[in-house]
Amino acid sequence: AQSVTQPDIHITVSEGASLELRCNYSYGATPYLFWYVQSPGQGLQLLLKYFSGDTLVQGIKGFEAEFKRSQSSFNLRKPSVHWSDAAEYFCAVGPPYNQGGKLIFGQGTELSVKP
Amino acid sequence: DTEVTQTPKHLVMGMTNKKSLKCEQHMGHRAMYWYKQKAKKPPELMFVYSYEKLSINESVPSRFSPECPNSSLLNLHLHALQPEDSALYLCASSQVGVGTGELFFGEGSRLTVL
């Protein structure tokens, strides 16, 4: 079955500290991989995506993610967290071929940032 | 212009009312989506339109009726809703084909059913 697991429901980090959010997936083939962020009361915004090629991808707002095929993981990282990064983060996978975009979302990780 | 615009931002309706949610995009995307999101949960796909034709209906109750009048507009007509339908309704758009998982979301319409 296709699924996305974000093991951490809630993470709290201090401002300026590094961040890693975990994402594991189960899929028949290598899917397209995404991280979305949702600030309170807002829609979702794409942070970064992986389709193919270099397994370390850079995104907006200083985020990066690394695709590890052997671990079926796509973890999100940021070297120094800012208070404005407090939000809900969703990992998602999508089909790796020409199809209407039916994404499978993880349950989300809520990030809190301590001053 | 990279925005997906949703109106209204907030809607309160009774169970016997008829209302509509509207979504507009001008990015030339030919796929448009409705999602429902409950608090602290991921979005749940409701409908997908591809080239103005309904391509996915995730077994949504008939009290929700989508409409895609043209390639830029997407509506969700609401009738005889239940309190459990209260949620954030998100519209999104994307290209069709490679990269269809790259969705552009609106800010949502927060619906309260009394």
Side-chain angles (χ1 to χ4, degrees):
Chain A
Q2 300 168 351
S3 65
V4 178
T5 301
Q6 294 179 244
D8 304 303
I9 296 173
H10 190 192
I11 283 182
T12 300
V13 299
S14 297
E15 190 167 16
S18 63
L19 171 70
E20 182 170 30
L21 302 182
R22 296 181 291 164
C23 173
N24 292 93
Y25 66 89
S26 174
Y27 209 87
T30 299
Y32 288 173
L33 298 157
F34 307 87
W35 275 99
Y36 285 86
V37 61
Q38 185 176 29
S39 297
Q42 302 291 312
L44 281 72
Q45 181 182 23
L46 181 68
L47 279 177
L48 45 75
K49 62 193 179 193
Y50 174 77
F51 290 167
S52 65
D54 191 345
T55 56
L56 185 64
V57 293
Q58 303 297 319
I60 62 171
K61 306 185 181 190
F63 285 91
E64 66 177 27
E66 185 172 14
F67 168 59
K68 293 185 177 180
R69 186 189 308 273
S70 61
Q71 299 177 20
S72 297
S73 69
F74 188 55
N75 294 348
L76 182 71
R77 300 194 293 249
K78 187 170 185 179
S80 177
V81 169
H82 188 262
W83 63 267
S84 60
D85 294 324
E88 189 83 21
Y89 291 80
F90 293 100
C91 181
V93 300
Y97 43 82
N98 199 349
Q99 194 176 68
K102 188 171 180 178
L103 290 182
I104 301 170
F105 285 94
Q107 290 299 304
T109 297
E110 183 180 6
L111 173 65
S112 297
V113 180
K114 292 190 300 186
Chain B
D1 185 356
T2 59
E3 284 190 346
V4 176
T5 304
Q6 290 187 243
T7 55
K9 291 194 184 306
H10 300 274
L11 178 62
V12 179
M13 60 186 291
M15 290 190 285
T16 58
N17 291 158
K18 285 185 181 181
K19 297 286 185 183
S20 297
L21 305 181
K22 298 185 183 300
C23 175
E24 187 169 6
Q25 60 89 13
H26 294 288
M27 292 177 279
H29 291 163
R30 301 306 296 274
M32 296 187 77
Y33 310 75
W34 281 115
Y35 281 85
K36 174 183 178 180
Q37 187 180 29
K38 291 282 203 178
K40 304 291 187 183
K41 295 293 185 183
E44 299 172 30
L45 183 64
M46 300 175 72
F47 303 104
V48 181
Y49 274 83
S50 180
Y51 295 105
E52 295 87 68
K53 294 192 187 309
L54 185 64
S55 60
I56 296 177
N57 176 343
E58 291 287 294
S59 302
V60 178
S62 61
R63 57 185 184 268
F64 295 92
S65 175
E67 177 195 22
C68 190
N70 60 53
S71 60
S72 300
L73 293 174
L74 185 66
N75 298 322
L76 186 62
H77 302 298
L78 315 170
H79 174 54
L81 295 192
Q82 303 297 309
E84 59 264 30
D85 296 322
S86 299
L88 182 68
Y89 288 84
L90 293 164
C91 173
S93 70
S94 76
Q95 298 176 18
V96 177
V98 174
T100 53
E102 184 173 354
L103 303 184
F104 293 80
F105 284 86
E107 293 193 349
S109 293
R110 185 161 300 283
L111 173 66
T112 302
V113 182
L114 301 177

